[in-house]
Amino acid sequence: MKIKTFKEWVAAVEREYVKFSTMHDYLNVGGVARLNTFRVLSDASCFASTASEMLELIEAYGGLSEAPNAAAPVRALKVIAAQENAEKEEKQAFRTAKTMPKGNGHSGRKE
């Protein structure tokens, strides 16, 4: 499944957290580390409404973005944030173009 939006990312992180938490008693040390990583990502996602905000929270968490278990979710989040920023810039450019004056009626052509 390809994750395209922040909402889908949050749902995927939650699914991974639930998957690991149901197997908690059977996890080795690496599995417990992944469980803890997804727990932190899931909990932190409650405080963000966009991928960019979530990235800021992750960076503020002190090195979570460098954690081996967080590499794939953080990479996906960066892609989503870039898409969100591109869409926001496109909308801003459209609004700017829409509000620009049309000119003084002279096209420069001679009739």
Side-chain angles (χ1 to χ4, degrees):
M1 178 176 143
K2 192 161 186 156
I3 298 169
K4 297 177 183 173
T5 65
F6 179 64
K7 189 175 181 178
E8 291 173 355
W9 182 87
V10 171
V13 166
E14 185 64 27
R15 277 193 307 273
E16 288 298 310
Y17 172 63
V18 168
K19 180 175 75 174
F20 281 106
S21 64
T22 50
M23 301 183 302
H24 180 266
D25 293 334
Y26 307 104
L27 296 175
N28 61 13
V29 175
V32 171
R34 288 187 71 177
L35 169 66
N36 291 334
T37 299
F38 283 106
R39 178 183 299 140
V40 169
L41 291 173
S42 177
D43 290 348
S45 70
C46 296
F47 300 103
S49 57
T50 66
S52 297
E53 288 177 10
M54 186 65 191
L55 283 171
E56 289 175 17
L57 285 173
I58 289 171
E59 290 303 319
Y61 229 90
L64 180 62
S65 61
E66 282 82 36
N69 296 320
V74 170
R75 217 174 17 251
L77 196 57
K78 287 179 180 179
V79 170
I80 294 167
Q83 290 171 344
E84 285 177 353
N85 290 338
E87 288 173 7
K88 190 163 83 172
E89 288 174 5
E90 186 177 308
K91 285 179 185 176
Q92 182 64 31
F94 179 73
R95 274 191 235 126
T96 303
K98 198 172 178 183
T99 60
M100 289 180 71
K102 301 285 185 202
N104 59 6
H106 299 286
S107 65
R109 286 186 267 153
K110 294 185 179 187
E111 294 179 16

